[in-house]
Amino acid sequence: MIGVVGGGIAGLAAAYRLQQRGRDVQVFEASDQVGGLAAVYETAGDPIETFYHHLSASEGTIVELIEELDLGEDLEWRYKTDSYYVDGVVHPMEKAWEILAYPHLSIYDKFRLAMLVKEIDVRGGWPKFDTYDDITDFEDVPIKEFLLEHTTRHVYESFWEPLLDAKFGSRKEDVSAAWLLGRVKFRGERDPIRGEQLGYLDGGFGRLLDELLAAVGRDTVTTGARVTELTQSGGAVESLTVERDGERASHEVDGVVVAAMPNVLEDLTGYPCEIDFQGTVCSVWSMEESLSDTYWLNIKDEAPFGVFIEHTNFVPRERYGGEHLYYTASYIQDPAEDLWQMSDAEVEAHWREGIGDLFPQFDPDSVNWVKTARNPRTAPIYERGYLDMVVPYDLSDEVAEGVYYAGMASRAQYPERSLNGGIEAGYACADLITGE
């Protein structure tokens, strides 16, 4: 039997691929439900993800899995709307003419920004098309230094720096230029007339989890089961110990896939991971009114949250019983930060005031409900030298034969973490185990 530690998307994907290859699998999930960061809330209609999710055009592995699970007809590619909130004004920034009309960058600034996004290096006055092909060339380049050299100072200070503040906060100076280039490649092509398409599953990504769990078999997954120990014999993993309902049980295994955060791996094996992670506080709001025409609102303002997302400007509100649904979210670099120390009620009151500051037309009485989730490790900090800290899939040499890792510190989650990356990591470990 292969034991899988963690019932998130990576663990379920590993189990699914292993079963396809004829292997017996058991998944052990410490919490009471599978899905990890892809869990959902109920609404008046379809469920909505606790932490916002969508797909980019480059995410082919998850699309293939969706099709294998007979959900392909329900995967929709919708044109999104992005805007930038500056000085009390929402500036659309999705279509080419909207970007050209943006008043806070000069024509030259916009040209340099566009060339970078198109991966064309115009330094020296002659375009080069291969400078950014290998993002690892920029692993050790500070992102600020890179942007000042490859765009302009005003592009950095007026456009990129507020986004980096929202994404990485006090750690922004540590971030590698490779992360930014990888994110550009990750997002895929943008239609100059209609903008960029993102993927969303009709009914939400909870359906993918449900179908994946059904394919794996509910009897294959045990929730409320914390793996507390891995036992080795002769340099190979031999068994794992599971604690559930106050009782401990040992299970013989031929291999183990740790599909969890690296702190779980370290607790079980002693293997250290130097990657730093940031947490997230994220609220979902149901309101009676729409506050803007945009889906994803980046903010250059003293707002108490880093991003404001009107989900029902992307997915029709009719699917949620007519509710207008929003996300407010902020990343946390240090658990000592004030926001992390607040209770959920305090966060919601603080953010309610912030919504009112951004949108004077906001009526607090129009809020139907608000739910807040938090997780201390939702994304890596992609600092310089990140690739040297990635945890290998196969830990035979480092830990013991038969130990594999498919968590968020794996190679598949570089240069951007995603559901797609979790599936790829789970598949990679399964392929190594089965030799295919």
Side-chain angles (χ1 to χ4, degrees):
M1 180 190 83
I2 305 298
V4 177
V5 182
I9 193 75
L12 293 177
Y16 175 73
R17 177 62 65 91
L18 285 165
Q19 287 178 330
Q20 286 182 315
R21 305 280 170 77
R23 304 302 292 269
D24 182 32
V25 185
Q26 284 293 316
V27 179
F28 301 97
E29 167 56 42
S31 70
D32 293 331
Q33 62 178 351
V34 300
L37 295 175
V40 299
Y41 294 132
E42 295 301 319
T43 75
D46 292 342
I48 187 171
E49 290 75 20
T50 304
F51 297 92
Y52 47 87
H53 287 289
H54 54 232
L55 302 183
S56 295
S58 63
E59 298 180 83
T61 304
I62 190 172
V63 172
E64 291 175 1
L65 176 59
I66 287 170
E67 291 173 347
E68 284 181 27
L69 297 175
D70 295 325
L71 294 173
E73 292 185 357
D74 295 325
L75 179 59
E76 304 169 337
W77 293 95
R78 296 177 166 274
Y79 284 98
K80 66 177 177 64
T81 50
D82 276 9
S83 298
Y84 215 144
Y85 185 100
V86 184
D87 296 336
V89 179
V90 175
H91 299 277
M93 292 282 284
E94 184 63 35
K95 303 174 179 65
W97 64 84
E98 293 172 340
I99 297 171
L100 286 172
Y102 182 65
H104 298 284
L105 294 175
S106 70
I107 293 297
Y108 181 67
D109 289 334
K110 293 170 188 174
F111 168 74
R112 293 297 299 271
L113 176 60
M115 290 299 97
L116 176 60
V117 172
K118 290 291 187 182
E119 300 179 66
I120 303 171
D121 182 4
V122 294
R123 293 173 302 163
W126 190 259
K128 296 174 61 179
F129 297 90
D130 59 355
T131 299
Y132 311 121
D133 286 353
D134 186 354
I135 65 172
T136 62
D137 291 343
F138 299 89
E139 253 296 296
D140 297 317
V141 179
I143 193 167
K144 179 178 180 179
E145 175 186 309
F146 172 84
L147 286 169
L148 290 175
E149 180 180 351
H150 292 256
T151 60
T152 70
R153 176 167 293 278
H154 188 62
V155 168
Y156 174 75
E157 294 177 347
S158 180
F159 184 84
W160 287 113
E161 189 170 27
L163 303 182
L164 293 172
D165 283 333
K167 178 72 172 177
F168 295 108
S170 60
R171 297 297 304 273
K172 70 180 180 183
E173 299 285 351
D174 301 326
V175 176
S176 161
W179 167 79
L180 177 65
L181 290 172
R183 189 170 177 83
V184 169
K185 295 177 183 293
F186 179 80
R187 294 302 293 266
E189 291 295 323
R190 177 189 299 269
D191 186 293
I193 304 300
R194 304 186 67 183
E196 182 185 8
Q197 285 185 316
L198 298 177
Y200 194 78
L201 196 60
D202 185 2
F205 288 104
R207 291 186 62 201
L208 172 61
L209 287 172
D210 290 344
E211 291 300 322
L212 186 55
L213 178 59
V216 168
R218 293 184 182 275
D219 57 344
T220 300
V221 181
T222 305
T223 57
R226 184 177 300 278
V227 178
T228 59
E229 185 179 357
L230 299 183
T231 303
Q232 304 176 28
S233 178
V237 66
E238 182 181 54
S239 67
L240 53 78
T241 301
V242 178
E243 185 175 295
R244 187 170 188 256
D245 296 332
E247 298 183 358
R248 294 164 64 89
S250 180
H251 301 264
E252 293 185 2
V253 294
D254 302 314
V256 172
V257 177
V258 180
M261 295 300 295
N263 61 300
V264 175
L265 177 69
E266 184 169 5
D267 290 344
L268 291 174
T269 69
Y271 183 90
C273 175
E274 297 178 356
I275 293 173
D276 290 333
F277 286 80
Q278 53 187 357
T280 302
V281 180
C282 183
S283 295
V284 176
W285 303 75
S286 168
M287 300 185 198
E288 293 293 330
E289 58 185 355
S290 175
L291 295 177
S292 76
D293 296 326
T294 197
Y295 166 57
W296 191 285
L297 184 65
N298 292 305
I299 303 168
K300 185 183 178 183
D301 189 274
E302 294 300 320
F305 35 77
V307 67
F308 185 84
I309 301 167
E310 189 164 346
H311 178 78
T312 43
N313 279 337
F314 179 56
V315 179
R317 67 187 180 94
E318 288 75 19
R319 294 188 180 174
Y320 305 100
E323 299 180 38
H324 294 271
L325 298 177
Y326 304 77
Y327 290 95
T328 50
S330 284
Y331 286 102
I332 303 294
Q333 282 70 44
D334 187 333
E337 291 180 28
D338 290 343
L339 187 64
W340 190 258
Q341 295 297 316
M342 292 180 182
S343 68
D344 289 352
E346 289 171 332
V347 168
E348 291 158 10
H350 184 47
W351 283 359
R352 195 182 301 252
E353 291 181 7
I355 295 172
D357 290 339
L358 292 180
F359 301 100
Q361 75 273 27
F362 168 61
D363 178 6
D365 292 334
S366 73
V367 177
N368 300 314
W369 53 262
V370 55
K371 297 178 182 179
T372 298
R374 60 184 74 208
N375 189 293
R377 301 179 185 88
T378 51
I381 297 173
Y382 291 97
E383 60 187 302
R384 299 187 298 280
Y386 183 90
L387 279 180
D388 294 332
M389 299 183 282
V390 163
V391 179
Y393 296 125
D394 187 346
L395 289 168
S396 297
D397 294 335
E398 293 83 356
V399 177
E401 185 178 344
V403 177
Y404 300 85
Y405 180 72
M408 201 181 289
S410 65
R411 183 63 172 84
Q413 299 288 17
Y414 172 89
E416 183 65 281
R417 59 95 169 89
S418 63
L419 294 177
N420 187 76
I423 295 167
E424 288 185 350
Y427 282 1
C429 290
D431 291 347
L432 288 168
I433 290 170
T434 60
E436 297 185 35

